[in-house]
DNA sequence: GATGTCAACCTGTGGT
DNA sequence: ACCACAGGTTGACATC
């Protein structure tokens, strides 16, 4: 943007980024989301990526085969052990994440799921209740990440598995970041518009100045020593004039430049 | 039916 | 190696 052929350059010289402080040694150190954009110099502006979310889907047959039906509908009743949907695609891998308590909960839930399993073999969608969402939100406001103890406590309180609480927090952080990115994007768009306007205005101003310069007579471009005086002023001549020969300071003592705009020769 | 939302998942990465 | 997290994806469900 904004590179004028006359050497005037305009550009975005800052950036807006959302910074997420890294957590400390343990999980009690929470990353703090900086809700204000952090402006740094020299970041290029890219607005082409308008789609942020949920536009690309691909089908993985293997995953489909792996999926099993879950008892997720039961989850709405917020029963501690029915409130689990087990989707087997990642269960083996995930077991390393689980404490013995969680594994037990998982097993119980699996039993429920197995009992519930029907021929459709489709994954059921879990929706958190309003109360669960509210409590999670409240907890998220206090800290956007959880240590294992907090996770356990919250899970117990909500009748959810710790894994579900963990996933909720992960998704919640992602949404927060996405929202902030959208805000930053809007802000940068406005900055871009402002700078484009400014660029246009300066270009126009430059053109006017150029036109003004061209409109001046050619001797305005000459060095001062070779300037000729207004033709109607006979006392002071140009170079080689008789008067100036005797008085080298005559020109400097009373310069009388001709300016067709402000000083027409008739006024002399 | 198209589209948006969101819980659940997978993968890669960095810290310990 | 393990863990937590970010980022991306999937699929069920809601809404229009």
């Amino acid at each position: 943007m904004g590179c004028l052929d006359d050497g005037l350059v305009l550009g975005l010289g800052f950036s807006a980024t959302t910074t997420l402080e890294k957590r400390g040694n343990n999980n009690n150190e929470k990353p703090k989301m900086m809700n204000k954009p952090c402006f740094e110099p020299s970041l290029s502006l890219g607005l082409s990526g308008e789609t942020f979310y949920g536009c690309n889907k691909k089908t993985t047959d293997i995953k489909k085969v792996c999926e099993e039906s879950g008892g997720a509908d039961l989850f709405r009743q917020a029963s501690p052990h029915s409130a689990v949907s087990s989707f087997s695609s990642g269960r083996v891998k995930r077991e390393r994440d689980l404490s013995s308590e969680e594994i037990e909960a998982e097993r119980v839930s699996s039993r429920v799921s197995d009992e519930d399993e029907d021929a459709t073999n489709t994954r059921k969608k879990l929706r958190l209740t309003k109360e669960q969402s509210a409590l999670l939100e409240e907890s998220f406001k206090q800290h956007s990440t959880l240590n294992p103890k907090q996770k356990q406590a919250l899970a117990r309180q909500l009748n959810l598995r710790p894994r579900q609480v963990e996933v909720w927090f992960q998704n919640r952080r992602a949404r927060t970041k996405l929202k902030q990115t959208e805000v930053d994007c809007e802000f940068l768009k406005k900055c871009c518009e402002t700078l484009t306007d400014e660029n246009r205005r300066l270009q126009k101003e430059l053109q006017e100045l150029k036109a003004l310069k061209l409109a001046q007579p050619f001797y305005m471009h000459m060095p001062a020593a070779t300037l000729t005086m207004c033709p109607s002023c006979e006392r002071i001549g140009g170079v080689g004039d008789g008067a100036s020969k005797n008085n080298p300071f005559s020109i400097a003592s009373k310069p009388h430049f001709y300016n067709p705009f402000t000083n027409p020769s008739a006024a002399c």
Side-chain angles (χ1 to χ4, degrees), chain A residues 14-26:
Chain A
F14 58 88
S15 69
T17 57
T18 305
T19 58
L20 193 66
E21 287 178 14
K22 278 288 173 191
R23 65 196 162 89
N25 292 336
N26 59 42

Side-chain angles (χ1 to χ4, degrees), chain A residues 64-194:
Chain A
K64 275 189 174 174
V65 167
C66 288
E67 278 174 6
E68 66 179 13
S69 68
D73 275 349
L74 298 172
F75 194 82
R76 290 182 186 282
Q77 281 83 46
S79 164
H81 296 300
S82 64
V84 176
S85 56
S86 64
F87 310 127
S88 68
S89 59
R91 188 191 297 167
V92 175
K93 189 169 186 297
R94 275 192 297 120
E95 287 215 345
R96 67 175 170 82
D97 294 336
L98 305 178
S99 66
S100 56
E101 187 180 341
E102 293 174 55
I103 291 169
E104 180 57 29
E106 187 94 5
R107 285 192 183 127
V108 172
S109 75
S110 295
R111 281 200 296 274
V112 174
S113 301
D114 292 343
E115 287 164 9
D116 252 13
E117 195 170 14
D118 56 12
T120 59
N121 239 18
T122 54
R123 166 163 108 178
K124 295 289 180 185
K125 169 82 172 181
L126 155 76
R127 302 296 289 207
L128 297 172
T129 64
K130 280 182 181 177
E131 290 76 18
Q132 286 171 323
S133 294
L135 195 51
L136 284 163
E137 281 290 343
E138 194 59 37
S139 182
F140 185 81
K141 275 181 195 170
Q142 290 167 16
H143 24 242
S144 61
T145 55
L146 294 174
N147 62 29
K149 277 188 176 179
Q150 290 170 321
K151 197 200 300 177
Q152 286 282 352
L154 200 54
R156 236 190 308 275
Q157 201 176 348
L158 293 165
N159 290 325
L160 294 173
R161 278 180 295 134
R163 168 68 184 163
Q164 289 175 298
V165 175
E166 182 183 318
V167 165
W168 187 91
F169 268 73
Q170 282 173 0
N171 287 324
R172 185 64 178 77
R173 283 192 294 270
R175 284 197 294 273
T176 301
K177 191 169 185 179
L178 177 67
K179 200 172 180 180
Q180 187 58 48
T181 303
E182 285 170 350
V183 169
D184 292 348
C185 185
E186 279 305 308
F187 180 78
L188 283 172
K189 272 183 186 173
K190 283 201 168 65
C191 283
C192 185
E193 284 170 16
T194 304

Side-chain angles (χ1 to χ4, degrees), chain A residues 4-94:
Chain A
L4 309 183
D5 56 356
D6 296 291
L8 290 177
V9 175
L10 287 176
L12 267 180
F14 58 88
S15 69
T17 57
T18 305
T19 58
L20 193 66
E21 287 178 14
K22 278 288 173 191
R23 65 196 162 89
N25 292 336
N26 59 42
N27 286 332
N28 287 325
E29 293 289 329
K30 304 295 180 295
K32 288 166 188 156
M33 184 65 80
M34 310 301 280
N35 285 327
K36 288 184 294 185
C38 174
F39 297 105
E40 297 168 353
S42 304
L43 182 72
S44 62
L45 180 63
L47 299 173
S48 61
E50 293 289 339
T51 52
F52 290 97
Y53 193 74
C55 295
N56 39 2
K57 292 180 184 286
K58 72 178 176 201
T59 314
T60 340
D61 290 333
I62 296 172
K63 285 184 74 175
K64 275 189 174 174
V65 167
C66 288
E67 278 174 6
E68 66 179 13
S69 68
D73 275 349
L74 298 172
F75 194 82
R76 290 182 186 282
Q77 281 83 46
S79 164
H81 296 300
S82 64
V84 176
S85 56
S86 64
F87 310 127
S88 68
S89 59
R91 188 191 297 167
V92 175
K93 189 169 186 297
R94 275 192 297 120

